[in-house]
Amino acid sequence: MKGTFLKDIINLKGQMLYYAVVIVIFFVVGIATGNIYYYAGVSIFCGVVAPLSAISYDEKDHWEKFALASGVTRKELALSRYLLGGALFLPVWALSFAFFAVPGFRTAENLYTVLTFGGLGLIVVDCVLPFVFKMGVEKARTVYIVLIVAVMALSVGVASFIGLAGGNAPFIGAIAALAVGIAGVPVSVCISLSIYQKKDF
């Protein structure tokens, strides 16, 4: 699995630079405008763009057949995609907390936003990867686009909810989103492994 992960990192090193530039731009825009939602929004999709690109490359080159013939297991192939997604998403999400180094960002609303969008980012990964493993990147693009629209609409709703709701409701909602995202990881992995075990390459 380590070898597969490193292979993906090498293949995507050019795109990784592009992702880094985008992340920095949105971070700076967030600081300059005093609005954490710019950065929080883009962070949602960081966990899935790298695995999608890696799988796309492999499908074009039929790399899975070579890997399986070389002794790499189906389980290792599937888990390496989740590892790749986590390796990108978690640092980007963790960087969200750097906003709190600026006094103006140290509000309960911003904390709830970071926690909620962290959960949404994991939920996107949980939902998308099994579809990609089942249908392939090209056929799963429609699902991904629909999910993007749904998540963006949900993000607007989250922003409104956090801004308008009183009491402990925003905190409970943020923890719930994060809990669903985390709990969904092993479920998503199990579904993906089941799909991968039956997949004919």
Side-chain angles (χ1 to χ4, degrees):
M1 186 169 66
K2 179 180 178 181
T4 302
F5 174 77
L6 292 176
K7 183 270 299 180
D8 289 337
I9 292 295
I10 293 172
N11 285 346
L12 298 176
K13 60 183 179 181
Q15 291 188 31
M16 290 293 187
L17 178 60
Y18 168 76
Y19 299 150
V21 171
V22 170
I23 289 166
V24 169
I25 290 174
F26 274 85
F27 186 86
V28 172
V29 169
I31 292 290
T33 60
N35 190 334
I36 200 172
Y37 287 97
Y38 289 108
Y39 183 83
V42 76
S43 69
I44 289 179
F45 302 104
C46 287
V48 76
V49 290
L52 283 179
S53 296
I55 294 171
S56 179
Y57 282 134
D58 289 350
E59 287 180 350
K60 291 178 181 178
D61 298 332
H62 303 289
W63 186 84
E64 294 96 338
K65 293 182 179 179
F66 171 79
L68 292 172
S70 301
V72 180
T73 66
R74 292 170 182 261
K75 181 178 180 180
E76 289 173 335
L77 284 175
L79 290 179
S80 68
R81 308 309 187 186
Y82 283 91
L83 181 60
L84 182 63
L88 183 59
F89 171 72
L90 291 177
V92 172
W93 179 60
L95 186 60
S96 301
F97 292 94
F99 279 93
F100 298 109
V102 180
F105 282 92
R106 296 172 191 167
T107 66
E109 178 181 342
N110 284 337
L111 176 60
Y112 302 153
T113 299
V114 170
L115 295 176
T116 300
F117 278 73
L120 291 177
L122 291 174
I123 291 171
V124 168
V125 175
D126 296 341
C127 294
V128 170
L129 286 186
F131 278 105
V132 174
F133 288 138
K134 179 67 175 179
M135 300 183 293
V137 173
E138 293 303 320
K139 292 182 179 179
R141 288 191 189 279
T142 302
V143 175
Y144 183 47
I145 292 172
V146 170
L147 188 61
I148 287 177
V149 174
V151 170
M152 294 309 294
L154 182 60
S155 299
V156 174
V158 167
S160 300
F161 175 74
I162 292 175
L164 298 176
N168 294 325
F171 175 72
I172 294 173
I175 295 300
L178 191 58
V180 170
I182 293 172
V185 172
V187 176
S188 178
V189 168
C190 288
I191 294 174
S192 294
L193 289 178
S194 176
I195 293 171
Y196 231 55
Q197 292 295 340
K198 301 173 184 177
K199 190 170 184 178
D200 184 21
F201 292 101

